[in-house]
Amino acid sequence: MATETRTLMCLNCQKKMNVEVKISKDKKPLETDPTGFTAGQSCSLMNLICDAEVPSDAPVCKECSDQLLVDMDQQLKLLEDDCAAYRQLIDYLKEKHSNADIASYKQTLRNLKAEESALKAQFDQLCTEEARLDAELMEKKAALEEKTEEEASRWRQFRDNHRRLLDLDEKTRNADAELRYAAEQHRRLADTNALDLVFNIWVDPADGIIGEINGFRLGRLPDRLVDWPEINAAWGQLVLLLDVLMHRAGVKSDNFKLITMCSHSCILYKRQVFIYLYQTRI
């Protein structure tokens, strides 16, 4: 078997190294691409080494191989510690449950599985019920929104009607007030004597003797002189009062007729004789 020195590249650190490779006559030399094992490959370095048939298929330098051995020793120690912990746990469980009834535990496990299946079926049923309730809730929400809109519309209608009612009530109160005022005025007018207001007849307290009508004195005394125009105006007011009373009482006279002309009022007889009610000054 012949040997051959080749220059290969470490798979880990990409360092070049010279390696003597034994070449068999019946085997074709392996051509190793030093760039084929670069960083980013899916296989790890350990997998490449394990899959290699000869050392030249997975060249690794001495430093990398030493580091690889150290890492493998650490992993082996961790695995041994885990195995020891598992053995200790198994021994503890065997010691604690040495008298345990395995059949009862299996039956309990079967019961728990059956209960789990029942609970799962119940959970599925509850999910279905929840979906149905969600759909019903959405329907109720839509109905609630519709009712809310209808309520708002009814409230606006009620507000408008209430405003119109208040306006009508205000108009009614105003009409009642006007009616009461008119009734009061009618009562006052009915109780009022128009003749007393138009023809005010009284006696001056200062004189105590001469009567007056609407402020005009009806006569004179020797010690109390009154102008004749005032007396004529007073008697003219008396003729007007007598004429109004006759019209209101429906009295008709065939012998005379009252002529109302203020200070020149007179009584007209059928004989066409005028009797003047004013006196001439002597």
Side-chain angles (χ1 to χ4, degrees):
M1 182 179 293
T3 61
E4 181 182 358
T5 302
R6 294 182 180 178
T7 302
L8 301 178
M9 186 176 293
C10 179
L11 295 178
N12 186 36
C13 64
Q14 304 297 320
K15 181 180 178 181
K16 293 182 179 181
M17 57 183 178
N18 296 324
V19 179
E20 292 183 357
V21 180
K22 295 181 180 181
I23 301 175
S24 177
K25 293 181 179 180
D26 56 351
K27 184 177 181 181
K28 186 177 180 180
L30 179 64
E31 295 181 358
T32 304
D33 186 4
T35 61
F37 306 100
T38 57
Q41 288 183 339
S42 60
C43 296
S44 63
L45 180 61
M46 183 59 65
N47 292 333
L48 293 175
I49 295 175
C50 293
D51 293 339
E53 296 180 358
V54 293
S56 61
D57 292 342
V60 179
C61 64
K62 185 177 183 305
E63 291 81 3
C64 293
S65 61
D66 293 340
Q67 184 63 36
L68 182 60
L69 290 175
V70 172
D71 294 339
M72 292 177 65
D73 291 338
Q74 292 178 356
Q75 292 181 5
L76 180 61
K77 186 176 183 305
L78 292 175
L79 292 175
E80 289 177 352
D81 293 339
D82 291 341
C83 290
Y86 286 137
R87 289 193 188 95
Q88 185 178 359
L89 179 60
I90 291 173
D91 295 338
Y92 171 75
L93 292 176
K94 286 181 178 180
E95 181 180 357
K96 184 177 180 180
H97 301 284
S98 59
N99 298 325
D101 189 1
I102 303 300
S104 63
Y105 286 161
K106 289 183 179 181
Q107 183 63 32
T108 303
L109 180 60
R110 286 193 295 269
N111 294 335
L112 290 176
K113 287 183 178 180
E115 184 178 358
E116 180 184 6
S117 300
L119 291 176
K120 187 176 181 181
Q122 185 178 2
F123 174 74
D124 295 337
Q125 183 179 0
L126 290 176
C127 290
T128 304
E129 183 69 16
E130 181 183 7
R132 185 185 66 81
L133 291 177
D134 289 339
E136 185 177 356
L137 179 61
M138 295 299 294
E139 183 179 356
K140 295 294 184 181
K141 284 184 177 180
L144 178 61
E145 292 178 357
E146 183 179 358
K147 292 295 183 181
T148 303
E149 182 64 25
E150 183 179 358
E151 180 183 2
S153 177
R154 295 293 178 85
W155 174 254
R156 289 192 295 269
Q157 184 178 1
F158 169 76
R159 181 191 59 194
D160 297 338
N161 293 335
H162 184 64
R163 183 172 61 251
R164 286 194 291 269
L165 179 62
L166 292 178
D167 294 340
L168 292 176
D169 185 64
E170 182 68 21
K171 292 180 180 179
T172 303
R173 287 198 298 269
N174 293 336
D176 291 341
E178 292 178 359
L179 181 61
R180 288 193 299 270
Y181 177 76
E184 180 64 21
Q185 293 298 322
H186 180 268
R187 185 189 63 79
R188 291 180 59 186
L189 291 175
D191 295 340
T192 301
N193 191 346
L195 296 178
D196 289 340
L197 295 176
V198 177
F199 302 100
N200 186 15
I201 300 174
W202 69 308
V203 177
D204 189 2
D207 294 336
I209 298 175
I210 302 176
E212 297 181 2
I213 180 171
N214 289 338
F216 300 113
R217 286 173 287 186
L218 293 168
R220 59 186 301 182
L221 295 174
D223 57 344
R224 296 181 183 276
L225 300 179
V226 180
D227 295 335
W228 289 108
E230 181 180 351
I231 296 174
N232 291 333
W235 283 98
Q237 292 290 321
L238 285 176
V239 172
L240 180 60
L241 174 59
L242 181 60
D243 184 63
V244 171
L245 290 174
M246 290 179 66
H247 278 84
R248 291 188 63 180
V251 177
K252 294 182 180 180
S253 176
D254 297 333
N255 298 325
F256 62 88
K257 181 179 180 181
L258 298 176
I259 305 299
T260 57
M261 293 187 302
C262 296
S263 297
H264 301 281
S265 300
C266 62
I267 300 175
L268 179 63
Y269 284 91
K270 296 296 184 178
R271 295 177 300 174
Q272 300 296 326
V273 177
F274 290 93
I275 300 176
Y276 289 95
L277 297 180
Y278 65 91
Q279 299 179 7
T280 59
R281 185 175 182 181
I282 300 175

